């Protein structure tokens, strides 16, 4: 287990993972990261670290759902999810207790349900 995977999935320093997250899924996610272009990964990291999109958020005028984990160690809720929701008028912020940056795996059922409800309006 890498430190990055531990933070990405909000696992702390303990294993095994929650029942909804198998060790095979964690290994799959690690392989995905290792298969990407190192240059692309560095440039994405650099862009995320150096660019603030907050000034552009008021221009967003479409219905917006923001899903964010309360235990996101990669992009903390107070710095990212809450600021994004404040910057987009009428947006809806849903937070997931215990949710990490990797909620698409750790909270997949709830995430899919929330997306469907939002899409169906």
């Amino acid at each position: 287990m890498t430190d990055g995977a531990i933070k990405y999935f909000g696992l702390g320093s303990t294993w095994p993972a929650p029942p909804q997250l198998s060790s095979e899924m964690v290994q799959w996610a690690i392989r995905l990261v290792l298969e990407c272009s190192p240059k692309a990964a560095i440039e994405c990291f650099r862009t995320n670290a150096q660019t603030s999109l907050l000034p552009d958020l008021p221009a967003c005028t479409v219905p917006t759902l923001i899903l964010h984990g309360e235990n996101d160690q990669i992009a903390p809720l107070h710095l990212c999810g809450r600021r994004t929701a404040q910057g987009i008028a009428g947006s809806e912020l849903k937070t997931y207790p215990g949710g990490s940056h990797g909620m698409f795996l750790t909270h997949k059922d709830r995430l899919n349900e929330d997306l469907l409800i939002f899409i169906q309006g």
Side-chain angles (χ1 to χ4, degrees), residues 1 4 7 10-13 15 19-20 26-27 40 42-44 49 67-69 74 91 98 105:
M1 175 76 56
K7 287 181 181 177
L11 299 173
S13 59
W15 190 259
Q20 68 274 20
V26 172
Q27 294 304 317
I42 290 167
E43 292 305 321
C44 284
L67 305 174
H68 207 106
I74 306 295
S91 65
L105 292 177

Side-chain angles (χ1 to χ4, degrees), residues 68-92:
H68 207 106
E70 293 179 0
N71 190 33
D72 191 329
Q73 298 173 35
I74 306 295
L77 177 60
H78 70 282
L79 293 176
C80 299
R82 292 203 194 286
R83 286 183 174 177
T84 301
Q86 291 168 350
I88 301 174
S91 65
E92 180 181 348

